[in-house]
Amino acid sequence: MIKFIHCSDIHLGANPYGIEERFEDMGKAFLQVVRHAIDEKVDFVVIAGDFFHKKNLNAKTLEQAVDLLEPLKNAGIPVYVTEGNHDMATYTNVYSWLDFLSQKGYVYLLKPDVLDDGSIGLTTWHDDIKKGSIIEKEDFFIVGLGYPGATASTMVERLSKQIPENTKKPIITLLHSGIDKFVTEGMGGLREEELEPVIGKSDYIALGHIHNRYENKEKKYFNPGSIENVKVESLSRRKENNDKGFYIVNIDKLKEIKIEFKIISIRNTFSIEIDLMGYKNNIEDIKNKILSEIQEKNICSDEAIILNIKLIGTLEDKSTMLDINDIKNDIKSNLNVIYLEILNMLTSNQENVFNVNEAQNRDEVDKEVISKLILDEGFGENDVLKLLPIILKTKELASEGQLTIDKQEGIDITSLIEKYIINEA
């Protein structure tokens, strides 16, 4: 019998919206994984990618990572990790910070490597150089397939041929990729049938990359989702998969698998939709409506919360302009909020109301709204394809505190234009 923890998308170093407390939140979430692993005396921990949020770390993030991994190392609990798209080495540097942690003995980094003939393949783990893709222990194999990227289908098919087969030991395969029927547009992923070669050789497929939990016990793949809400935009209105946590997995000698999803405690994050249909454009009435909805939904916490509000409907005078800052200040004076975002989706008439699917997350809504705004400004469909990624990337940089709007520095929009327009032309 082997017992292990499967988690993914830890995103240490993430600092959404430039809020220091959110940096600490990511560490606190993983600390709960660490404590449970030690308390339950698991045999090992697997992390299916994106242990870090960025390829280039600052000293504070590295220190946080070492402090969190040290107790596992001292307890003799190995950590097996594969790379995700956030923490793999940059194109100009083949050595990543996960490589560093592996060399220092904090983790075993399992990932595909460049073979002698120049192709990408799987190699046996070598303790002397602390490098490899497949590690064999007395009771199990672990295989790291890493992040296959845009060539996921071809890469997974090729690498699956090198996974050990006909073994009496359970094979646990780590893969940082989503299954397309569970991912949102633009995230990429494998079709389930494209995963079949891996399914046929694995007893447990530990997935990562997609931040909401999903699983298929028959096909043997499991995705725990991220252990914290990295972005409020990633929240969907589907309540069944918004809990954050990790899997506790037991595999017996007959390769029978029992899993339990362990929910962890994280900062409360709420996303609500408020319909202002028929309301007059009176800021006090609108603020009272919003506060009433917040109270009705019992949104409160001793700890500061993250709150996302979506305003929909059509006001009586058909106007769509609101003083969002005034509304925010009023909410903050009545509620303990660490981050508040209000999305104004009011329309001037019912014919132009966006048909937002209840399962849509904030990223999808943003794309729809921004695309319409670009078209409304007189641009064509081809312009939307060029301008949309620039606007979304600028928004992402701003939300992560990486974009400075300084009179001396300004916004480095030139590089974004070069990347998304000039280079794509």
Side-chain angles (χ1 to χ4, degrees):
M1 170 79 77
I2 58 173
K3 180 180 183 180
F4 64 94
I5 282 176
H6 165 206
C7 59
S8 186
D9 295 272
I10 314 303
H11 286 277
L12 293 184
N15 190 16
Y17 319 109
I19 302 170
E20 183 64 23
E21 288 89 342
R22 294 298 286 145
F23 173 90
E24 299 296 339
D25 286 346
M26 303 301 159
K28 289 177 181 177
F30 187 61
L31 180 59
Q32 294 176 66
V33 178
V34 171
R35 287 175 173 168
H36 192 91
I38 294 172
D39 290 345
E40 293 294 319
K41 295 181 174 61
V42 300
D43 296 303
F44 55 89
V45 174
V46 299
I47 302 175
D50 283 356
F51 181 64
F52 290 121
H53 186 60
K54 299 176 184 177
K55 296 176 175 66
N56 297 312
L57 299 186
N58 56 33
K60 189 174 182 180
T61 302
L62 184 60
E63 180 183 37
Q64 183 188 56
V66 170
D67 288 344
L68 288 166
L69 292 169
E70 192 81 51
L72 292 172
K73 184 178 180 181
N74 294 339
I77 298 175
V79 178
Y80 302 103
V81 59
T82 201
E83 285 181 333
N85 54 306
H86 278 260
D87 49 22
M88 62 193 301
T90 62
Y91 291 112
T92 58
N93 190 352
V94 297
Y95 193 79
S96 73
W97 285 106
L98 286 178
D99 284 299
F100 170 81
L101 292 177
S102 186
Q103 290 298 316
K104 295 300 181 182
Y106 289 104
V107 303
Y108 292 82
L109 175 57
L110 304 175
K111 62 175 181 176
D113 203 354
V114 179
L115 305 181
D116 292 338
D117 61 2
S119 64
I120 302 296
L122 303 181
T123 59
T124 302
W125 177 267
H126 293 281
D127 273 326
D128 54 342
I129 59 173
K130 294 184 171 62
K131 192 175 180 181
S133 320
I134 304 171
I135 194 163
E136 180 180 4
K137 294 295 182 179
E138 183 179 350
D139 298 320
F140 58 88
F141 282 92
I142 299 183
V143 180
L145 299 185
Y147 172 65
T151 59
S153 175
T154 303
M155 185 65 71
V156 167
E157 181 182 14
R158 182 192 308 162
L159 294 178
S160 67
K161 296 175 182 178
Q162 302 168 44
I163 297 175
E165 56 186 338
N166 299 324
T167 171
K168 294 182 179 180
K169 302 177 183 179
I171 295 178
I172 300 155
T173 302
L174 313 185
L175 173 63
H176 193 76
S177 182
I179 306 302
D180 64 354
K181 65 181 179 181
F182 297 106
V183 306
T184 57
E185 183 182 355
M187 286 291 290
L190 290 162
R191 295 195 303 274
E192 195 170 77
E193 57 267 28
E194 292 173 336
L195 191 64
E196 284 294 342
V198 179
I199 294 172
K201 287 189 170 184
S202 304
D203 297 288
Y204 183 96
I205 303 173
L207 295 179
H209 191 42
I210 306 306
H211 288 193
N212 285 333
R213 176 169 58 100
Y214 63 88
E215 59 198 45
N216 186 323
K217 295 180 181 179
E218 181 182 349
K219 298 292 185 179
K220 299 180 287 187
Y221 63 75
F222 304 85
N223 183 83
S226 61
I227 62 172
E228 242 287 4
N229 290 306
V230 181
K231 295 181 181 180
V232 68
E233 291 95 329
S234 65
L235 291 175
S236 76
R237 295 178 63 190
R238 294 173 294 197
K239 303 301 181 184
E240 73 275 7
N241 62 354
N242 277 342
D243 287 329
K244 296 301 178 183
F246 54 89
Y247 289 116
I248 305 167
V249 186
N250 288 275
I251 305 179
D252 65 21
K253 292 182 178 180
L254 297 177
K255 297 186 178 181
E256 293 293 324
I257 297 175
K258 291 183 179 179
I259 67 164
E260 175 190 358
F261 184 73
K262 183 73 174 179
I263 298 172
I264 62 177
S265 175
I266 62 172
R267 187 179 297 275
N268 284 324
T269 304
F270 300 93
S271 184
I272 62 173
E273 184 178 276
I274 298 176
D275 191 348
L276 297 178
M277 181 66 69
Y279 267 72
K280 294 182 179 179
N281 193 354
N282 181 297
I283 196 67
E284 294 303 319
D285 288 347
I286 290 173
K287 287 193 292 188
N288 287 335
K289 166 67 172 176
I290 294 173
L291 290 173
S292 175
E293 291 272 354
I294 290 173
Q295 185 175 14
E296 183 178 318
K297 296 181 185 301
N298 197 29
I299 295 177
C300 61
S301 175
D302 292 335
E303 182 183 46
I305 67 169
I306 298 169
L307 178 59
N308 171 251
I309 299 174
K310 185 192 304 178
L311 302 178
I312 64 169
T314 305
L315 297 178
E316 187 179 67
D317 65 356
K318 312 299 187 205
S319 65
T320 58
M321 299 297 292
L322 292 175
D323 189 341
I324 297 298
N325 285 331
D326 188 17
I327 297 173
K328 281 186 174 182
N329 290 334
D330 202 58
I331 294 173
K332 288 178 179 178
S333 66
N334 287 274
L335 199 63
N336 188 12
V337 180
I338 191 174
Y339 178 76
L340 171 63
E341 177 145 296
I342 298 178
L343 178 63
N344 183 356
M345 293 188 66
L346 295 175
T347 56
S348 57
N349 57 71
Q350 286 183 283
E351 285 74 26
N352 288 335
V353 173
F354 287 109
N355 294 316
V356 179
N357 187 297
E358 286 198 354
Q360 278 183 301
N361 63 26
R362 174 61 190 278
D363 288 332
E364 295 167 318
V365 173
D366 278 353
K367 288 180 182 178
E368 185 176 352
V369 172
I370 294 171
S371 296
K372 184 181 183 301
L373 290 173
I374 294 172
L375 292 172
D376 287 347
E377 289 295 323
F379 292 96
E381 293 287 349
N382 289 336
D383 298 313
V384 172
L385 296 176
K386 294 178 179 180
L387 291 171
L388 184 61
I390 294 176
I391 296 170
L392 292 174
K393 185 63 178 179
T394 304
K395 178 179 179 298
E396 177 187 344
L397 292 173
S399 69
E400 294 183 354
Q402 298 182 53
L403 187 93
T404 56
I405 306 177
D406 185 275
K407 287 185 178 180
Q408 293 181 351
E409 288 190 36
I411 301 175
D412 184 18
I413 199 73
T414 303
S415 63
L416 294 176
I417 293 173
E418 288 175 348
K419 178 177 181 180
Y420 290 106
I421 293 184
I422 297 175
N423 293 341
E424 296 294 331

